[in-house]
Amino acid sequence: MAKAPLDLTSGPIGRNLLLFALPILAGNIAQSLNGSVNAVWVGRYLGEAALTATANANNIMFFLIGSVFGFGMASTILIGQAIGARDIAQARRVVGTSASFFIGLSVIIAIAGWFLAHPLLAAMGTPAASLPLAEAYLRIIFLAMPTLYAFAFLSAALRGAGDSRTPFRFLLVSVLLDIALNPVLIFGLGPFPALGIAGSAWATLVSQTLSLTGLLLYMRHKRHTLWLGRADMHLFKLDLTILRALVVKGVPMGLQMVLISLSVILLMTMVNQYGTATGAAYGASLQLWNYVQMPAMAIGAACSSMAAQNVGAQRWDRVRGTARQGILFNFLLTGALILPLVLLDQYSLALFLPQGSESLQIARHLNHIVIGSFLFFGVSFVISGVVRSTGAVIPPLLILAASLWGVRVPFAEFLQPYWGANAIWWSFPAGSLVSMLLSLAYYRWGGWRKAKMITPPPAEHVATPSEIPACPPSPVADPDAVTR
């Protein structure tokens, strides 16, 4: 019997949202733990230059993953709305078109990235000591892009159908394999050759490929509603209406992640000007910040899936409740992470940096300035997840652009002559506060409830004589009336 999607349009909002978000959060934490463990191997045993290399290369990888984030989110919302409206056929059509689109795009990026790795890293101002190491690492990461993209897409599709547990299980498999393979391939344990920093990237490629294969076999075995077998090959043909929605709605959502990634790359370029010690301190701090961002990102993704199903079911009261509960959980979970990471940062940062080093003291200083800003970031992420569930994607993009490129980047750039590197660190809370205030204002007064993911073409209709004298149509319920 085929596995049915989970219904997020009924039951307690807070409980369901938390249970749905927890596997996403656990998966995000597992990914961050994976990156942190890898950073320990690289930073403690290959040196600060190698750690700076992975920090620069990973920024490009996050940019590439972020560039398709919008398409994945568009798929999640389209599937969620279809599931909420009980239109399983439409959900499967979205899966087929999205899969074809993702596969083609990922192959193009992998090929282009192999040849552009060196120019991209050089343009970022990667320190000369780290550049060859970063290039060797990044080339293999580009080869892993098709499997990374495919796994991200399937995870997004399953979450749209209300299933956050299955993606987490196979993500955990990938993380455990990656952690186990890192020392084996870096140092050449057993029959394997010593690949150095490239071994860390090869571990990612192998583990992600095996996990993706396992997820596909699981969906086939369970005859999941979204599984497309041989009899469904026609669904992989691009549906132009769905493709248009993926592009028109996905590009602005993807641009949000691109703007974030570009700002991070630009800030990394600024940091690189202060030398390897500051670059290593920033790279180590990023490892902690990845954990702090995880609750907000998980809750935002859960809010988007839950809100999308309720938009499809026209349950606007539950959409409002999703936003309220999401903000509450953000403060509780993010705050619970920030406190110990502030009090114990000397020990946590020492996992990535040698005790007594200049980098460790720099990292502690900048961590105290930056880490609290992720509470503001969390509110923005939750609100963005709710409003885009209807198809309102441009205003969140403009809000993010204003906060990052109108506040954070200029703040860091123009105040450096006076504050030095502190201008970079203080730009984080300044930009995040502006983003939160603008997001709340748009949620309260914006027209996001009237947005649509897919606008159906107008039907051609010619009135017949029997229709002309008919009584006026019955009034149609206005979904916005529920929210007023």
Side-chain angles (χ1 to χ4, degrees), residues 2-4 92 158 161 163 219-220 222-227:
K3 187 174 181 179
R92 290 164 60 80
L158 290 170
D163 183 3
M219 291 180 66
R220 178 186 179 186
K222 292 294 184 179
R223 290 189 291 168
H224 195 283
T225 301
L226 300 184
W227 169 256

Side-chain angles (χ1 to χ4, degrees), residues 241 454-460:
T241 300
I454 294 180
T455 303
E460 296 183 2

Side-chain angles (χ1 to χ4, degrees), residues 163-471:
D163 183 3
S164 61
R165 295 182 181 182
T166 298
F168 165 67
R169 294 189 184 104
F170 286 92
L171 176 61
L172 188 60
V173 170
S174 174
V175 166
L176 293 176
L177 285 173
D178 199 348
I179 290 174
L181 288 174
N182 252 269
V184 171
L185 297 180
I186 289 175
F187 305 113
L189 303 180
F192 298 95
L195 300 176
I197 194 171
S200 182
W202 275 109
T204 298
L205 171 59
V206 173
S207 61
Q208 195 69 54
T209 301
L210 292 175
S211 182
L212 173 64
T213 303
L215 177 56
L216 289 171
L217 292 175
Y218 172 84
M219 291 180 66
R220 178 186 179 186
H221 174 70
K222 292 294 184 179
R223 290 189 291 168
H224 195 283
T225 301
L226 300 184
W227 169 256
L228 304 182
R230 293 183 180 179
D232 306 304
M233 294 302 294
H234 63 284
L235 294 177
F236 288 102
K237 181 180 179 181
L238 294 177
D239 183 309
L240 296 183
T241 300
I242 295 173
L243 181 61
R244 180 178 181 275
L246 288 175
V247 174
V248 172
K249 301 297 184 180
V251 166
M253 287 190 284
L255 283 176
Q256 293 184 48
M257 300 305 292
V258 170
L259 288 178
I260 293 174
S261 298
L262 285 176
S263 70
V264 170
I265 290 173
L266 182 56
L267 292 178
M268 188 78 222
T269 303
M270 295 180 188
V271 170
N272 285 335
Q273 297 173 4
Y274 292 90
T276 301
T278 302
Y282 185 63
S285 298
L286 285 174
Q287 295 296 328
L288 295 187
W289 301 344
N290 284 338
Y291 289 104
V292 177
Q293 295 178 78
M294 292 303 103
M297 296 179 69
I299 295 165
C303 285
S304 197
S305 297
M306 177 173 278
Q309 285 201 18
N310 284 286
V311 168
Q314 295 295 294
R315 292 296 307 273
W316 294 94
D317 57 322
R318 293 181 62 85
V319 174
R320 289 201 318 274
T322 299
R324 289 194 301 267
Q325 294 293 327
I327 292 174
L328 174 62
F329 288 141
N330 164 66
F331 279 112
L332 292 176
L333 297 179
T334 303
L337 280 178
I338 288 177
L339 185 60
L341 289 179
V342 169
L343 297 177
L344 304 173
D345 64 342
Q346 180 175 0
Y347 306 101
S348 55
L349 288 166
L351 292 172
F352 316 110
L353 300 166
Q355 281 284 2
S357 69
E358 179 187 2
S359 297
L360 180 58
Q361 297 309 313
I362 295 173
R364 292 190 65 202
H365 169 71
L366 67 91
N367 182 60
H368 289 167
I369 296 173
V370 173
I371 198 167
S373 66
F374 292 107
L375 282 172
F376 307 144
F377 161 82
V379 175
S380 301
F381 210 88
V382 168
I383 294 297
S384 178
V386 172
V387 301
R388 70 186 174 212
S389 68
T390 64
V393 295
I394 298 298
L397 173 64
L398 297 178
I399 289 170
L400 185 68
S403 62
L404 287 181
W405 295 92
V407 177
R408 179 180 292 182
V409 171
F411 191 106
E413 180 69 30
F414 296 137
L415 291 181
Q416 276 187 80
Y418 309 99
W419 293 4
N422 279 335
I424 302 175
W425 319 141
W426 280 106
S427 70
F428 280 83
S432 297
L433 179 60
V434 170
S435 177
M436 180 185 72
L437 295 176
L438 292 177
S439 297
L440 289 172
Y442 177 67
Y443 175 80
R444 175 64 179 83
W445 293 292
W448 58 275
R449 296 169 184 84
K450 298 179 181 179
K452 302 290 183 185
M453 282 295 292
I454 294 180
T455 303
E460 296 183 2
H461 179 71
V462 178
T464 63
S466 61
E467 291 177 317
I468 295 174
C471 296

